[in-house]
Amino acid sequence: GLLLMERELGTSLPRTVRDALAPWFAASRKRLAAQGGSKAARWSKKLAFKPLGPPLLPPAESPGVLDTVNEALFTERPLLIEYRRAYRDDYRAERLHPLGLVRTGLVTYLVACFDGYTDPRTLALHRMRRVKIDKDGELQGPPKFDLTAFLNAGALDFGNRGPVRLRLRMQRDAAAHLHDTPLSRDQRVTTAGDGEHVIVEATVNDSDRLEWWIRGFGDLVERLPDGPIRPV
């Protein structure tokens, strides 16, 4: 269990927590090595994380950025950074009040408030450099901030335009995975008249990310006019 925590969480853990757990991680590795071909040693090699989709490379982050951000979140202190916005080459000095960290598989985002503001924003870690903790500063931000509620409201949906009753006409095989991993709890999949396609209906947040997902299927999917949102 400890080795899985080290492998899967790794640098997501604050440095102080990693340092505290380091002897336990080392002891676990030593114990497994001593056991050789034991069931425990073999079991740890039977688990893997492999995201679906093309093997994209993660963006390069400046050394030490993730550790410093994690420490600021752990100690609840502001951050002093230089930040480059998307499609820009210039960096601007900013003071941030960190609220949470979100890993999406490739890109890691810091949820934070800019100094003097209380609206949470998302900032990509790979666009940060020269990150330092303001050890004398006091953390400020919205009271009782809830990271889960923030994400459920569509914070990383890239221009969330609100809920819609999405309707798609999809080739049957292309939609097969939606039976196991539905788009929403109220998703419905029905067979189209030709038997080769299905009609998928689900209440989702309309966004650029949703459009990119739909376009990824090419000619295998057609977006139909949105239907009425049903009361929950």
Side-chain angles (χ1 to χ4, degrees):
L2 282 173
L3 289 184
L4 287 178
M5 179 189 294
E6 182 184 30
R7 187 178 76 183
E8 299 301 334
L9 295 180
T11 54
S12 294
L13 295 170
R15 185 189 305 166
T16 50
V17 176
R18 290 207 313 272
D19 291 345
L21 292 175
W24 299 93
F25 290 150
S28 295
R29 287 193 297 270
K30 184 176 180 180
R31 185 176 179 181
L32 276 183
Q35 291 175 346
S38 69
K39 289 182 179 179
R42 293 196 300 271
W43 173 75
S44 67
K45 298 178 181 179
K46 296 177 181 179
L47 303 176
F49 174 69
K50 185 68 175 178
L52 297 175
L56 301 176
L57 297 176
E61 295 177 2
S62 297
V65 168
L66 181 56
D67 273 341
T68 305
V69 168
N70 259 324
E71 185 177 349
L73 284 167
F74 188 73
T75 58
E76 299 184 341
R77 294 292 183 185
L79 281 168
L80 302 173
I81 72 167
E82 290 185 1
Y83 190 70
R84 172 181 62 81
R85 286 167 171 75
Y87 312 113
R88 298 286 297 272
D89 295 324
D90 58 311
Y91 285 81
R92 294 178 55 182
E94 303 285 0
R95 188 170 186 266
L96 303 176
H97 298 272
L99 302 170
L101 198 66
V102 182
R103 308 201 73 166
T104 64
L106 289 174
V107 179
T108 301
Y109 293 93
L110 172 66
V111 181
C113 292
F114 285 95
D115 200 38
Y117 297 87
T118 58
D119 53 322
R121 301 295 183 90
T122 55
L123 300 93
L125 259 64
H126 65 273
R127 299 195 194 110
M128 297 181 184
R129 70 179 186 184
R130 297 176 183 171
V131 179
K132 298 187 299 183
I133 295 176
D134 183 358
K135 296 183 179 180
D136 298 322
E138 294 293 331
L139 190 68
Q140 300 172 8
K144 298 181 180 179
F145 174 77
D146 188 317
L147 181 60
T148 299
F150 178 71
L151 295 175
N152 288 343
L156 286 175
D157 284 339
F158 304 133
N160 177 25
R161 294 184 284 272
V164 294
R165 184 64 180 174
L166 180 70
R167 297 177 66 246
L168 301 174
R169 185 175 187 271
M170 299 186 70
Q171 198 271 343
R172 181 180 292 276
D173 290 341
H177 68 288
L178 295 179
H179 292 283
D180 298 320
T181 54
L183 289 166
S184 68
R185 294 185 184 276
D186 64 356
Q187 173 183 287
R188 291 180 57 199
V189 180
T190 55
T191 302
D194 61 2
E196 297 295 324
H197 294 79
V198 294
I199 304 299
V200 179
E201 298 182 66
T203 303
V204 298
N205 285 323
D206 198 10
S207 65
D208 291 341
R209 176 171 286 187
L210 176 65
E211 285 293 335
W212 294 344
W213 177 78
I214 294 172
R215 290 174 186 172
F217 290 98
D219 295 337
L220 300 179
V221 63
E222 175 190 0
R223 182 167 184 175
L224 304 174
D226 296 336
I229 297 179
R230 300 176 179 180
V232 179

